[in-house]
Amino acid sequence: GQQLNQSPQSMFIQEGEDVSMNCTSSSIFNTWLWYKQDPGEGPVLLIALYKAGELTSNGRLTAQFGITRKDSFLNISASIPSDVGIYFCAGRLNDMRFGAGTRLTVKP
Amino acid sequence: GAGVSQSPSNKVTEKGKDVELRCDPISGHTALYWYRQSLGQGLEFLIYFQGNSAPDKSGLPSDRFSAERTGGSVSTLTIQRTQQEDSAVYLCASSPRQNTEAFFGQGTRLTVV
């Protein structure tokens, strides 16, 4: 089946720092999605990417759909305490598969 | 409704009992997905529907798990003869069509005692 490798597993950063996380796969996808999950909640969509090479921003978030269609990254600039949570990448080719998540901790 | 709705939000059941979890997708969304999330873990794909049919059932952990979708809308995930290892949060998502953005419900937290 499709395997998504997400890294890093966890990050501990200082408020104001930038963050970068990525996902790679041996399979190609038509869509890459990035989600954030807070404790006790369902994942919330942050950014959707539909074309290889696409670079999309949403406020302090920037994500890119890799040119090979097998990878994607998410950057968060100038982190703030409410960025704390678990970030998941997801690749879509009919169904939707998820990476294992990156747990982000932001120290004030 | 405005978003994906799942019910119940919490379910405690005794080992060996059957449970039924419900997902109401966003109106008009043709694709629907079920995932299982154990504590502190990622999202394990279970099954997805395109309309009423399920092209891929490979993620269902055992034959105790089944899912159906009727009228291209509501879906139910049924777990028969529940075991303690079935305890997890079961998440449902829907999307307008394949390969577009998908939106999640709040999940059903299942505890098997």
Side-chain angles (χ1 to χ4, degrees), chain B residues 93-105:
Chain B
S94 73
S95 66
R97 54 196 174 278
Q98 289 177 336
N99 299 319
T100 60
E101 66 273 16
F103 301 93
F104 278 85

Side-chain angles (χ1 to χ4, degrees), chain A residues 31 35 37 41 50 92 96, chain B residues 33 35 99-102 106:
Chain A
T31 303
Y35 289 85
Q37 187 177 30
E41 304 288 326
Y50 298 106
R92 294 200 61 171
M96 184 166 62
Chain B
Y33 308 82
Y35 296 86
N99 299 319
T100 60
E101 66 273 16
Q106 294 286 67

Side-chain angles (χ1 to χ4, degrees), chain A:
Chain A
Q2 301 147 345
Q3 297 283 334
L4 271 70
N5 300 305
Q6 184 172 351
S7 63
Q9 283 188 319
S10 61
M11 302 184 76
F12 296 84
I13 62 168
Q14 205 73 38
E15 182 177 0
E17 289 182 353
D18 297 344
V19 171
S20 186
M21 58 192 81
N22 70 86
C23 272
T24 61
S25 173
S26 58
S27 305
I28 62 170
F29 292 104
N30 288 338
T31 303
W32 280 96
L33 305 167
W34 285 92
Y35 289 85
K36 178 176 184 260
Q37 187 177 30
D38 293 325
E41 304 288 326
V44 173
L45 182 66
L46 299 174
I47 288 183
L49 302 155
Y50 298 106
K51 291 195 300 188
E54 179 182 355
L55 183 72
T56 296
S57 293
N58 178 8
R60 292 179 297 107
L61 307 178
T62 301
Q64 184 159 30
F65 192 143
I67 199 74
T68 64
R69 297 170 63 194
K70 295 182 179 181
D71 63 307
S72 177
F73 72 74
L74 174 71
N75 288 343
I76 306 173
S77 63
S79 58
I80 59 178
S82 63
D83 290 335
V84 164
I86 304 176
Y87 292 79
F88 291 100
C89 64
R92 294 200 61 171
L93 187 66
N94 301 321
D95 66 5
M96 184 166 62
R97 303 293 172 132
F98 281 77
T102 295
R103 185 179 296 273
L104 179 64
T105 303
V106 180
K107 293 177 285 188

Side-chain angles (χ1 to χ4, degrees), chain B residues 74-89:
Chain B
V74 172
S75 177
T76 54
L77 177 69
T78 302
I79 309 173
Q80 296 178 308
R81 305 182 302 282
T82 52
Q83 304 293 314
Q84 286 186 326
E85 62 262 29
D86 299 335
S87 297
V89 174

Side-chain angles (χ1 to χ4, degrees), chain B residues 1-5 24-31 69 72-74 94-96:
Chain B
V4 178
S5 177
D24 280 272
I26 294 171
S27 178
H29 281 197
T30 61
R69 189 179 186 195
S73 181
V74 172
S94 73
S95 66

